[in-house]
Amino acid sequence: MSSLEEPLGFDKLPSMSTVDRIQRFSSTACRPRGDDVGMGNCWLDGRTCSTSNSCEEDYEEYDEAFPWRRQTRNVSEGGSFNRRSSNSGRNHNNFGNICDSRYLPDHQYNSDANDKDIWGITNKFLKGMPKFVKIVEVGPRDGLQNEKNTVPTSIKVELIRRLVSSGLSVVEATSFVSPKWVPQLADAKDVMEAVHNVEGPRLPVLTPNMKGFQAAIAAGAKEVAVFASASESFSKSNINCTIEESLARYRAVTSAAKELSIPVRGYVSCVVGCPVEGEVPPSKAAYVAKELYNMGCFEISLADTIGVGTPGSVVPMLEAVMAVVPAENLAVHFHDTYGQSLPNILVSLQMGISTVDSSVAGLGGCPYAKGASGNVATEDVVYMLNGLGVKTNVDLQKLLLAGDFISKHLGRQSGSKTAIALSRVVDASKI
């Protein structure tokens, strides 16, 4: 990988003595006050700069424009931004208040001390970051289910093989739902038959009920997933039943799966917002997640189905869910409708989540969630994690080739910003 293709990580940041030499901060620049550096409360709280070059808080203006900040500030001020849960209860790893001064009284940098200060801030930023993140690739299922034109079985199978070759350990292969409702996945049985000899990775499939579960097992599935909603309206439009009715269905599925030693993953859709009801209270997401966990789901994926979440709504949602389900049993699943997926993933990692769902080339969308765009692109997630020094065991180059393969077949540009940027680098090198 050339230097242009490598993510700029913390190890590549310039030293502050270098910044001094290029006079990054001029005598007329607006400089942060001593208590404005670090994460903690200041990281989430906005600032406005006056003409006197001093940074002053303007909470009322920001609260009016961004109402979610009031809720977020309450969370961050609680000093419990990074939390981990265990089966016996929650262990709280607090950042504490780290908005202490990193500047000298005259706001000028001291070149002898600033390198140490910068790395101190960096270490605090990375304090809650996992060393390894498991990526659950959902492209072949969630990514293709909303395509208007039928994707041939052979293309789906080749995509799965390419994704597996990139190092992804979990690739959601397909869904055993009624072809009447999701015709794009009508070939689920054929797909499973074609990939049965793929060794190494897990290839879970989605099953909406006992009928789907039985069909999946008959086709050779060794892991399944069920999906419930935190929104009553979305549950009725998506799977034609209430939340409680869906949970009753899944208890039957998890019970049958347990007898066959089949692992079951659970999804909770619309954890922060619903296309019908609007904002979804964190308590609703927590309730459904707890029910899925209690019935035996080994992992619960929290899905922002329509991509309306921001760190301001994701943090309180995770706080509520982590109070009833251990963090190590949780995953996050973000759609990128408003471009908030990566920031949402970042705060999730800082709170102790270490499993992330994503879709190659940003494929996706939900046929029952109007306006929902594709999932966060796997390439973009891997690029960000590489820059953070977090391991994924995924080969980005091979992943890019897999994304390019499916994008060319679909006849459109990849939804991955990383893929687009690196393709321009390659094109430029040929000039």
Side-chain angles (χ1 to χ4, degrees):
M1 183 178 288
S2 70
S3 60
L4 287 175
E5 296 170 307
E6 294 176 358
L8 178 62
F10 286 112
D11 58 331
K12 298 181 179 65
L13 289 174
S15 67
M16 290 316 299
S17 58
T18 302
V19 174
D20 285 342
R21 286 196 297 271
I22 61 176
Q23 297 180 341
R24 179 175 177 182
F25 296 101
S26 68
S27 60
T28 58
C30 176
R31 302 186 184 96
R33 292 195 311 244
D35 61 352
D36 285 352
V37 182
M39 285 181 58
N41 304 339
C42 297
W43 184 57
L44 287 171
D45 286 345
R47 307 286 183 188
T48 56
C49 298
S50 67
T51 54
S52 63
N53 290 332
S54 65
C55 293
E56 299 180 349
E57 301 174 356
D58 192 356
Y59 288 141
E60 292 183 2
E61 176 183 342
Y62 271 72
D63 283 347
E64 187 67 26
F66 305 105
W68 56 263
R69 292 182 65 263
R70 287 191 291 271
Q71 186 178 22
T72 304
R73 194 182 315 130
N74 291 336
V75 173
S76 63
E77 287 174 355
S80 182
F81 190 68
N82 178 32
R83 297 191 177 187
R84 293 182 181 270
S85 302
S86 63
N87 288 322
S88 60
R90 289 190 298 168
N91 297 322
H92 304 289
N93 297 328
N94 300 335
F95 278 130
N97 184 1
I98 57 177
C99 286
D100 47 15
S101 176
R102 299 292 171 188
Y103 290 85
L104 296 177
D106 63 352
H107 291 172
Q108 295 297 322
Y109 280 99
N110 182 326
S111 59
D112 294 332
N114 285 316
D115 286 354
K116 184 181 295 185
D117 290 343
I118 285 297
W119 284 107
I121 295 172
T122 300
N123 289 336
K124 289 177 180 179
F125 178 84
L126 295 174
K127 183 178 180 181
M129 205 72 65
K131 294 181 179 178
F132 176 84
V133 166
K134 178 182 71 179
I135 294 180
V136 176
E137 172 60 52
V138 299
R141 194 278 301 176
D142 198 15
L144 296 179
Q145 70 176 3
N146 205 36
E147 291 296 320
K148 294 180 180 179
N149 299 320
T150 301
V151 178
T153 303
S154 59
I155 297 295
K156 295 177 182 177
V157 172
E158 179 62 19
L159 175 61
I160 292 172
R161 292 185 181 277
R162 287 176 181 245
L163 291 169
V164 168
S165 71
S166 74
L168 288 161
S169 61
V170 186
V171 179
E172 195 173 56
T174 186
S175 177
F176 283 82
V177 297
S178 170
K180 176 183 177 182
W181 301 112
V182 188
Q184 188 60 257
L185 302 180
D187 61 348
K189 181 180 178 181
D190 296 331
V191 169
M192 292 305 294
E193 183 178 345
V195 299
H196 78 278
N197 60 347
V198 176
E199 298 181 358
R202 291 157 43 199
L203 301 174
V205 299
L206 204 64
T207 57
N209 47 39
M210 276 300 295
K211 183 178 180 180
F213 172 76
Q214 292 167 349
I217 299 304
K222 297 179 180 179
E223 182 178 325
V224 301
V226 296
F227 53 99
S229 175
S231 160
E232 197 70 65
S233 298
F234 189 74
S235 181
K236 292 176 181 177
S237 64
N238 189 27
I239 53 178
N240 200 32
C241 66
T242 65
I243 292 174
E244 290 302 326
E245 289 170 342
S246 72
L247 293 174
R249 290 181 186 178
Y250 301 143
R251 289 188 186 97
V253 171
T254 54
S255 177
K258 185 176 181 180
E259 293 181 4
L260 298 174
S261 299
I262 299 292
V264 182
R265 191 180 200 237
Y267 283 95
V268 184
S269 59
C270 297
V271 291
V272 293
C274 167
V276 180
E277 297 179 9
E279 182 181 355
V280 174
S283 59
K284 289 190 174 182
Y287 170 74
V288 177
K290 180 182 179 181
E291 291 298 308
L292 290 173
Y293 179 68
N294 288 343
M295 70 176 69
C297 292
F298 74 92
E299 188 170 87
I300 314 297
S301 180
L302 305 169
D304 179 14
T305 309
I306 57 175
V308 295
T310 68
S313 57
V314 169
V315 168
M317 181 275 294
L318 286 175
E319 284 280 327
V321 176
M322 290 168 67
V324 294
V325 179
E328 57 266 28
N329 296 103
L330 295 174
V332 288
H333 180 119
F334 295 112
H335 286 246
D336 207 33
T337 311
Y338 291 88
Q340 296 297 295
S341 289
L342 290 180
N344 289 339
I345 289 171
L346 185 58
V347 296
S348 299
L349 298 180
Q350 289 170 319
M351 293 183 71
I353 304 299
S354 59
T355 301
V356 175
D357 296 359
S358 59
S359 178
V360 66
L363 298 175
C366 178
Y368 298 98
K370 186 177 181 180
S373 69
N375 295 269
V376 62
T378 308
E379 300 94 321
D380 297 351
V381 175
V382 172
Y383 185 87
M384 180 183 77
L385 293 176
N386 285 349
L388 289 169
V390 177
K391 294 185 180 298
T392 62
N393 292 341
V394 177
D395 186 319
L396 182 56
Q397 291 287 359
K398 291 183 178 180
L399 182 62
L400 288 165
L401 290 174
D404 184 63
F405 166 77
I406 191 62
S407 296
K408 284 181 176 177
H409 173 78
L410 297 175
R412 61 172 180 263
Q413 187 180 50
S414 171
S416 162
K417 290 181 173 60
T418 299
I420 294 171
L422 294 183
S423 68
R424 290 171 180 166
V425 170
V426 173
D427 290 342
S429 67
K430 296 178 181 178
I431 299 176

Short mmCIF file of all heavy atoms in Angstrom, two decimals, residues 10 27 96 103 113 117 126 139 184 215 220 246 249 271 306 308 321 342 388 430:
data_model
loop_
_atom_site.label_atom_id
_atom_site.label_comp_id
_atom_site.label_asym_id
_atom_site.label_seq_id
_atom_site.Cartn_x
_atom_site.Cartn_y
_atom_site.Cartn_z
N PHE A 10 -2.74 8.05 14.59
CA PHE A 10 -2.15 8.88 15.63
C PHE A 10 -0.64 8.85 15.60
O PHE A 10 0.02 9.80 15.99
CB PHE A 10 -2.66 8.42 17.01
CG PHE A 10 -4.08 8.80 17.27
CD1 PHE A 10 -5.06 7.83 17.36
CD2 PHE A 10 -4.44 10.12 17.41
CE1 PHE A 10 -6.36 8.16 17.59
CE2 PHE A 10 -5.75 10.47 17.65
CZ PHE A 10 -6.72 9.49 17.74
N SER A 27 -0.51 34.86 15.82
CA SER A 27 -0.82 35.75 16.94
C SER A 27 -2.26 36.21 16.92
O SER A 27 -2.79 36.67 17.91
CB SER A 27 0.10 36.97 16.90
OG SER A 27 -0.08 37.67 15.66
N GLY A 96 -13.74 10.40 33.29
CA GLY A 96 -13.63 11.49 34.24
C GLY A 96 -13.56 12.82 33.52
O GLY A 96 -13.73 12.91 32.32
N TYR A 103 -2.58 24.05 28.00
CA TYR A 103 -1.91 25.22 27.46
C TYR A 103 -1.22 25.98 28.58
O TYR A 103 -1.64 25.95 29.74
CB TYR A 103 -2.91 26.17 26.79
CG TYR A 103 -3.47 25.62 25.51
CD1 TYR A 103 -4.56 24.76 25.52
CD2 TYR A 103 -2.88 25.93 24.29
CE1 TYR A 103 -5.06 24.23 24.35
CE2 TYR A 103 -3.37 25.41 23.11
CZ TYR A 103 -4.47 24.57 23.15
OH TYR A 103 -4.96 24.05 21.99
N ALA A 113 7.54 20.42 26.07
CA ALA A 113 6.53 19.63 26.77
C ALA A 113 5.36 19.21 25.90
O ALA A 113 4.63 18.30 26.25
CB ALA A 113 5.99 20.44 27.96
N ASP A 117 2.32 16.24 25.95
CA ASP A 117 0.92 16.64 26.17
C ASP A 117 0.01 16.07 25.10
O ASP A 117 -1.08 15.57 25.39
CB ASP A 117 0.80 18.17 26.18
CG ASP A 117 1.42 18.78 27.42
OD1 ASP A 117 1.64 18.02 28.39
OD2 ASP A 117 1.70 19.99 27.41
N LEU A 126 -7.93 7.22 23.30
CA LEU A 126 -7.92 5.80 22.96
C LEU A 126 -8.19 4.89 24.15
O LEU A 126 -8.23 3.66 23.99
CB LEU A 126 -6.56 5.42 22.35
CG LEU A 126 -6.21 6.06 21.01
CD1 LEU A 126 -4.79 5.70 20.62
CD2 LEU A 126 -7.19 5.60 19.93
N GLY A 139 -23.33 -7.39 3.63
CA GLY A 139 -23.58 -7.03 2.25
C GLY A 139 -24.39 -8.03 1.44
O GLY A 139 -25.37 -7.66 0.77
N GLN A 184 -35.64 -10.63 -3.96
CA GLN A 184 -34.21 -10.63 -4.27
C GLN A 184 -33.47 -11.80 -3.59
O GLN A 184 -32.43 -12.25 -4.07
CB GLN A 184 -33.59 -9.30 -3.84
CG GLN A 184 -32.15 -9.09 -4.25
CD GLN A 184 -31.96 -9.10 -5.75
OE1 GLN A 184 -31.48 -10.08 -6.31
NE2 GLN A 184 -32.36 -8.02 -6.42
N ALA A 215 -36.31 -24.10 7.19
CA ALA A 215 -35.78 -24.09 5.82
C ALA A 215 -34.28 -23.82 5.83
O ALA A 215 -33.52 -24.42 5.05
CB ALA A 215 -36.50 -23.02 4.99
N GLY A 220 -28.61 -26.29 5.33
CA GLY A 220 -27.26 -26.42 5.85
C GLY A 220 -26.75 -25.26 6.68
O GLY A 220 -25.55 -25.20 6.99
N SER A 246 -43.74 -10.82 17.91
CA SER A 246 -42.46 -11.20 17.29
C SER A 246 -41.55 -11.87 18.30
O SER A 246 -40.87 -12.86 17.98
CB SER A 246 -41.77 -9.96 16.70
OG SER A 246 -41.26 -9.11 17.71
N ARG A 249 -42.50 -15.44 18.72
CA ARG A 249 -42.00 -16.24 17.59
C ARG A 249 -40.54 -16.62 17.82
O ARG A 249 -40.14 -17.77 17.60
CB ARG A 249 -42.10 -15.44 16.29
CG ARG A 249 -43.50 -15.20 15.77
CD ARG A 249 -43.38 -14.42 14.45
NE ARG A 249 -44.69 -14.03 13.94
CZ ARG A 249 -44.86 -13.30 12.83
NH1 ARG A 249 -43.80 -12.90 12.14
NH2 ARG A 249 -46.07 -12.99 12.42
N VAL A 271 -33.47 1.47 16.57
CA VAL A 271 -33.11 1.70 17.98
C VAL A 271 -33.09 3.17 18.39
O VAL A 271 -33.15 3.49 19.58
CB VAL A 271 -31.74 1.05 18.31
CG1 VAL A 271 -31.83 -0.46 18.28
CG2 VAL A 271 -30.65 1.57 17.38
N ILE A 306 -32.85 3.52 9.77
CA ILE A 306 -33.04 4.60 8.79
C ILE A 306 -31.91 5.63 8.83
O ILE A 306 -31.96 6.65 8.15
CB ILE A 306 -34.41 5.29 8.96
CG1 ILE A 306 -34.58 5.83 10.38
CG2 ILE A 306 -35.53 4.33 8.61
CD1 ILE A 306 -35.87 6.63 10.58
N VAL A 308 -30.79 7.81 11.10
CA VAL A 308 -31.01 9.16 11.62
C VAL A 308 -30.20 9.44 12.88
O VAL A 308 -30.18 10.57 13.38
CB VAL A 308 -32.51 9.40 11.93
CG1 VAL A 308 -33.33 9.35 10.67
CG2 VAL A 308 -33.02 8.38 12.95
N VAL A 321 -29.16 0.30 26.90
CA VAL A 321 -29.04 -1.12 26.55
C VAL A 321 -27.96 -1.80 27.37
O VAL A 321 -28.12 -2.94 27.86
CB VAL A 321 -28.75 -1.29 25.05
CG1 VAL A 321 -28.52 -2.76 24.71
CG2 VAL A 321 -29.90 -0.74 24.21
N LEU A 342 -19.82 6.63 10.79
CA LEU A 342 -18.49 6.53 11.38
C LEU A 342 -18.40 7.22 12.74
O LEU A 342 -17.83 6.65 13.68
CB LEU A 342 -17.43 7.07 10.41
CG LEU A 342 -17.18 6.20 9.17
CD1 LEU A 342 -16.10 6.84 8.29
CD2 LEU A 342 -16.78 4.78 9.55
N LEU A 388 -6.80 4.06 13.52
CA LEU A 388 -6.83 4.09 14.98
C LEU A 388 -5.92 3.03 15.59
O LEU A 388 -5.77 2.96 16.80
CB LEU A 388 -8.27 3.85 15.48
CG LEU A 388 -9.26 4.98 15.26
CD1 LEU A 388 -10.68 4.50 15.54
CD2 LEU A 388 -8.92 6.18 16.15
N LYS A 430 -1.55 6.83 -12.97
CA LYS A 430 -1.39 6.39 -14.35
C LYS A 430 -1.14 7.56 -15.30
O LYS A 430 -0.80 7.36 -16.46
CB LYS A 430 -2.65 5.63 -14.80
CG LYS A 430 -2.89 4.34 -14.04
CD LYS A 430 -4.18 3.67 -14.50
CE LYS A 430 -4.44 2.37 -13.71
NZ LYS A 430 -5.71 1.75 -14.14
#
